[in-house]
Amino acid sequence: MKSMLAGLSLLLLLGGAKKPAAPPPPPAVGVTVARSGAAEVVRAVLPGLLTGVELLRRADGKLDVVLLLRAATKDDETWDPSAESDAGPAGTRSLHLLDLTGNLLRPLLQEVPSGTLGALDLDGDGAEEILLASKGELRSLGSASEKKILDLSTTELRLPSRWRDQPMAGVLASGVGTVRLYLPDGGGLAPKFERNLPSRATRERWGIRLTSPRVRSVRGDGNLLAAGPEADGRQRLRSLVIGAESTTEAWSLLPAPEEVDTSWYVKIDGRPALIVTTNSADKLGIFESKKLRVFPLAADRTRSGRRPALATQTTSHRWLPVAPTVADLDRDGKDDLVMLQLDGMGGGEIVAETFFGRGDGRFETPGRRQKWDLQTRDFHYGHDLTGDGIADLVVTEPRRLVVFPGTKEPRKALLERKPLEIPLKLGEEAGSRGLRVADLDGDGRNEAVLTGSAGTGRDVVMVVRFR
């Protein structure tokens, strides 16, 4: 009898249970403009998911925001069947342009292959063409058609890109043992030079793997390339500096046995340099903070390796990002270095550390730090957003954009303590997924471009303009 009553009670409870609420309808596709704090915010809800973004220079110097979209599929967490008709058949890709002059979202091409976007002026008219690298093929994407301009299926293509902070004069085609640079030539590309690369063989379970070091541009000089750094032993690093006329082999000596975590090739005081963050190679420290090393790059026939011009410790644990910026902050003709770092287990604090240059590739130590309590993984320093000609720090949080204006006396304090705060509504599920800063309208003042998720098979792009 008791079991019958218990079963009846369970049936009554189940029958009286409320049905789960229906998911909210997807937001309407389109562009809206609104004031938010001290800024104007352009918010574009996209008919699909972002797979690529590029900032494309027009003939008048302004930049267009080009978007490569993919229609959501059932495998996507944010898939919504009701949104499929706006984005096309599930899984298809299309190219769109965010027109900031008329605040419109314009479709450019349908049925676009998957790949990586880039931008380059191929015909010399001052306007860049949209490039798409897909499986070793390079295509130029126009407003109504596409054409193949390079077919190198056995190599890796690297394109110049503002969105990925990858300035280059042309297109790199890298393979095992060789790299080629292609430059614009009458609407297409022509080989400029070819260089040999060192190759390394490693044994795998399935056979022998042949690899060559990664080739990329040197920040501050779009005509200069660098390959590496390659570890040789536990303390030496080898880099190749590749110019139009010659290749220089440079060796760097770490202070102790260390493993490179992240590396950047830059120019400091007019000469190429290597910036690396490292971790100890002797022991695994779970909570170890990354080390910072800066090396000048010059020919070294002895291969013994040059010691670092700057060797110090960061505040960031091995799983947190750091970002360097080289600039003449105090306008004394000497390059300075700003390291953006995160502190805390989850990156709850952001740290800006400034090392002022001595003019010979070396820096004053210790660095000068400023710290703020902010929950972020996206930040950018080095561009002016407020219009005073001084670089600012931009930080995204889940529901706002925070801008710390640069000061006129960086040796006293690099940034103002009190920030400008811009409330944002990127999406219903998540905050920012990407942040870039660029002068889109050519007025000398930069805008912040953010990407995020709307949570229903649609992504969001926002452009924040200070007025």
Side-chain angles (χ1 to χ4, degrees), residues 8 27 37-38 79 83 103 109 142 164 173 216 236 241 259 327 330 382 405 440 460:
L8 180 61
W79 182 71
N103 294 320
L109 281 174
R164 297 188 304 279
R216 47 195 153 147
R236 291 190 307 160
V241 181
E259 295 178 345
D330 51 3
L440 300 179
V460 177

Side-chain angles (χ1 to χ4, degrees), residues 44-107:
V45 178
L46 310 176
L49 304 177
L50 273 172
T51 64
V53 185
E54 189 52 75
L55 303 178
L56 188 74
R57 189 187 68 225
R58 303 185 334 205
D60 60 5
K62 298 180 180 181
L63 300 179
D64 284 328
V65 182
V66 178
L67 311 167
L68 184 60
L69 304 182
R70 175 178 62 82
T73 68
K74 293 181 179 180
D75 294 330
D76 293 305
E77 294 181 2
T78 60
W79 182 71
D80 187 337
S82 62
E84 185 173 321
S85 60
D86 295 323
T92 59
R93 288 172 172 81
S94 56
L95 197 69
H96 296 252
L97 184 141
L98 177 56
D99 183 353
L100 295 172
T101 302
N103 294 320
L104 300 170
L105 187 63
R106 296 197 286 112

Side-chain angles (χ1 to χ4, degrees), residues 6 15 38 123 130 134 193 279 289 292 295 301-302 314 319 338 357 398 405:
D123 52 13
I130 309 167
S134 178
F193 63 74
N279 294 299
S289 295
L292 172 66
F295 297 96
R301 293 184 179 180
T302 68
T314 75
W319 58 84
V338 178

Side-chain angles (χ1 to χ4, degrees), residues 42-367:
V42 180
R43 185 174 188 267
V45 178
L46 310 176
L49 304 177
L50 273 172
T51 64
V53 185
E54 189 52 75
L55 303 178
L56 188 74
R57 189 187 68 225
R58 303 185 334 205
D60 60 5
K62 298 180 180 181
L63 300 179
D64 284 328
V65 182
V66 178
L67 311 167
L68 184 60
L69 304 182
R70 175 178 62 82
T73 68
K74 293 181 179 180
D75 294 330
D76 293 305
E77 294 181 2
T78 60
W79 182 71
D80 187 337
S82 62
E84 185 173 321
S85 60
D86 295 323
T92 59
R93 288 172 172 81
S94 56
L95 197 69
H96 296 252
L97 184 141
L98 177 56
D99 183 353
L100 295 172
T101 302
N103 294 320
L104 300 170
L105 187 63
R106 296 197 286 112
L108 295 180
L109 281 174
Q110 300 295 326
E111 301 293 331
V112 177
S114 63
T116 303
L117 289 179
L120 189 63
D121 181 7
L122 296 175
D123 52 13
D125 64 353
E128 293 175 338
E129 281 72 44
I130 309 167
L131 302 181
L132 178 72
S134 178
K135 299 179 181 179
E137 296 180 347
L138 185 63
R139 293 175 169 86
S140 174
L141 307 182
S143 59
S145 63
E146 63 175 272
K147 64 177 181 178
K148 186 187 301 185
I149 57 175
L150 205 59
D151 185 357
L152 297 167
S153 56
T154 60
T155 64
E156 176 189 5
L157 295 177
R158 295 181 63 81
L159 312 182
S161 170
R162 288 185 185 84
W163 185 258
R164 297 188 304 279
D165 192 19
Q166 190 171 286
M168 292 191 300
V171 173
L172 285 179
S174 301
V176 175
T178 186
V179 61
R180 294 187 184 92
L181 175 66
Y182 291 83
L183 296 182
D185 181 36
L189 291 168
K192 175 64 176 179
F193 63 74
E194 178 178 337
R195 295 285 186 272
N196 293 327
L197 296 176
S199 57
R200 176 175 297 180
T202 55
R203 185 181 296 277
E204 305 286 347
R205 288 182 300 175
W206 46 264
I208 301 296
R209 179 192 296 272
L210 295 176
T211 58
S212 289
R214 178 187 179 197
V215 181
R216 47 195 153 147
S217 61
V218 175
R219 291 187 185 180
D221 190 339
N223 295 305
L224 196 61
L225 308 174
E230 276 194 307
D232 189 291
R234 303 181 61 176
Q235 287 186 245
R236 291 190 307 160
L237 302 174
R238 178 172 64 171
S239 298
L240 297 180
V241 181
I242 305 170
E245 303 299 330
S246 62
T247 298
T248 300
E249 184 180 62
W251 291 83
S252 306
L253 182 65
L254 295 165
E258 296 171 3
E259 295 178 345
V260 173
D261 175 76
T262 313
S263 62
W264 302 265
Y265 287 104
V266 300
K267 267 199 164 180
I268 299 176
D269 295 320
R271 294 183 289 273
L274 170 66
I275 301 175
V276 296
T277 56
T278 66
N279 294 299
S280 297
D282 285 338
K283 58 182 180 179
L284 176 62
I286 298 177
F287 302 111
E288 177 189 7
S289 295
K290 298 177 182 179
K291 301 172 180 63
L292 172 66
R293 314 310 191 200
V294 180
F295 297 96
L297 295 180
D300 182 5
R301 293 184 179 180
T302 68
R303 298 189 173 187
S304 58
R306 293 199 173 203
R307 297 184 180 277
L310 175 65
T312 187
Q313 195 83 17
T314 75
T315 63
S316 295
H317 293 299
R318 59 172 64 236
W319 58 84
L320 295 174
V322 300
T325 299
V326 177
D328 182 5
L329 302 173
D330 51 3
R331 303 182 183 183
D332 63 352
K334 305 171 185 177
D335 278 339
D336 311 308
L337 175 64
V338 178
M339 290 297 299
L340 271 294
Q341 311 160 43
L342 295 181
D343 198 1
M345 295 298 294
E349 295 177 322
I350 186 167
V351 177
E353 185 169 13
T354 307
F355 299 92
F356 288 97
R358 297 180 177 180
D360 56 358
R362 296 183 297 166
F363 299 91
E364 299 174 8
T365 56

